[in-house]
Amino acid sequence: MTTTWAVITGAGRGIGAVLARHAAKEGYRVAAWDLDGEAVHAVAAEIGEACVPMAVDVADESSVRSAMAELSAAPSLVVNNAGIVRFGPLLELAAADWRAALDVNLTGTFLVARVAAARMVAEGVGGAIVNIASINGLAAAPGAGAYTSSKAGVVKLSEHMALEWGAHGIRVNAVAPGLIDAGMSEPINADPAARKARSGRVPLGRLGTADDVAEAVLFLGSEKAAYITGQTLAVDGGITRGALNAMPRGAATDPSAD
Ligand SMILES: NC(=O)c1ccc[n+]([C@@H]2O[C@H](COP(=O)([O-])OP(=O)(O)OC[C@H]3O[C@@H](n4cnc5c(N)ncnc54)[C@H](O)[C@@H]3O)[C@@H](O)[C@H]2O)c1
């Protein structure tokens, strides 16, 4: 029996650790990659035999190449989830912070997807790649210029990969999580006032969970999504459709003014 590999990057904590659990439950052998080797070993120990942990820096091409060479076959699913935030207004943002966000979020996605796709092509098999963007890749947010630019890049890079690799049977999509109650957003959501205000802006009335994100990723990676490629799926409770929420319309168009 051949092993069906799923590579999940940034699997040491947050959304990535939940993704690794979901992928193992779906029957994948999970290659769990993270810069933090200790964290990803702990996640793998909890999942069991189906999960193979490895310390990998997605922004380092040789690290990515050696990790891919460890797999017994081309992966069927690759989830580019590793990511970092570097907050700061553009006028004050250190160039090193700008580069760090671009390096991990955009270049890391490029390097991992490319080495995986090359292996799929070499072995004559197709596969699915799901790149984790963000609603920040769809709309600007205060103080998040570097992050937003890197995630907008992930959206466009996913479209481009879909275009170039479709003929090889490789589907590439992006998932744009919204306000998620996990991982890097935990410190923000820990403030009860911020949490209430943030939930209140979401049409579905709640923050998202890492499980919400994982379900969408596993769907896009599955045969159920066999004709879907080059798309970005926002998993955001509708918040990116709410730009006109609470926009004043004036008495002339207010039905309650009758
Ligand atoms: N949590 C949210 O609200 C939210 C919202 C939208 C998008 N996202 C995106 O979802 C993804 C996961 O976010 P999270 O909240 O779980 O973050 P997190 O900070 O909890 O986890 C990120 C993981 O990536 C790993 N990582 C960082 N740099 C790496 C590198 N160079 N190589 C390999 N691994 C590296 C970290 O060690 C960590 O384990 C990110 O791409 C993030 O931008 C998160």
Side-chain angles (χ1 to χ4, degrees), residues 13 15 34-35 56-58 81 147 151 177-178 180 182-185:
R13 50 167 274 135
I15 295 170
D34 203 290
L35 191 60
V56 181
D57 180 355
V58 298
N81 166 79
Y147 183 71
K151 293 298 190 176
I180 305 301
M184 57 175 64
S185 296

Side-chain angles (χ1 to χ4, degrees), residues 8-19 33-37 39-40 43 54-60 63-64 80-86 100 103-105 108-109 112 131-137 147 150-151 154 175-186 188-189 198 208 210 213 235:
I8 315 279
T9 71
R13 50 167 274 135
I15 295 170
V18 172
L19 275 165
W33 296 358
D34 203 290
L35 191 60
D36 184 341
V40 82
V43 168
M54 194 176 291
V56 181
D57 180 355
V58 298
D60 174 350
S63 174
V64 169
N80 279 301
N81 166 79
I84 58 171
V85 268
R86 290 290 182 271
D103 248 24
V104 177
N105 300 349
T109 297
V112 172
N131 298 324
I132 305 298
S134 165
I135 56 168
N136 282 146
Y147 183 71
S150 71
K151 293 298 190 176
V154 168
V175 162
L179 309 180
I180 305 301
D181 197 10
M184 57 175 64
S185 296
E186 271 170 357
I188 304 170
N189 296 327
R198 285 158 70 84
V213 177
V235 179

Side-chain angles (χ1 to χ4, degrees), residues 73-164:
S76 300
L77 173 65
V78 176
V79 187
N80 279 301
N81 166 79
I84 58 171
V85 268
R86 290 290 182 271
F87 286 119
L90 292 174
L91 282 177
E92 289 151 29
L93 188 74
D97 283 337
W98 169 269
R99 288 201 180 95
L102 269 289
D103 248 24
V104 177
N105 300 349
L106 184 54
T107 305
T109 297
F110 166 63
L111 293 174
V112 172
R114 186 170 68 159
V115 78
R119 182 126 188 222
M120 291 172 193
V121 172
E123 294 181 22
V125 293
I129 298 174
V130 182
N131 298 324
I132 305 298
S134 165
I135 56 168
N136 282 146
L138 307 175
Y147 183 71
T148 292
S149 302
S150 71
K151 293 298 190 176
V154 168
V155 168
K156 285 294 151 191
L157 177 63
S158 305
E159 292 174 14
H160 207 87
M161 288 170 171
L163 188 74
E164 289 198 14

Side-chain angles (χ1 to χ4, degrees), residues 206-234:
R206 67 167 176 88
L207 300 176
T209 65
D211 290 314
D212 290 327
V213 177
E215 292 291 353
V217 169
L218 268 298
F219 162 69
L220 286 172
S222 77
E223 275 304 300
K224 290 179 185 162
Y227 202 54
I228 302 176
T229 196
Q231 303 301 310
T232 296
L233 178 59

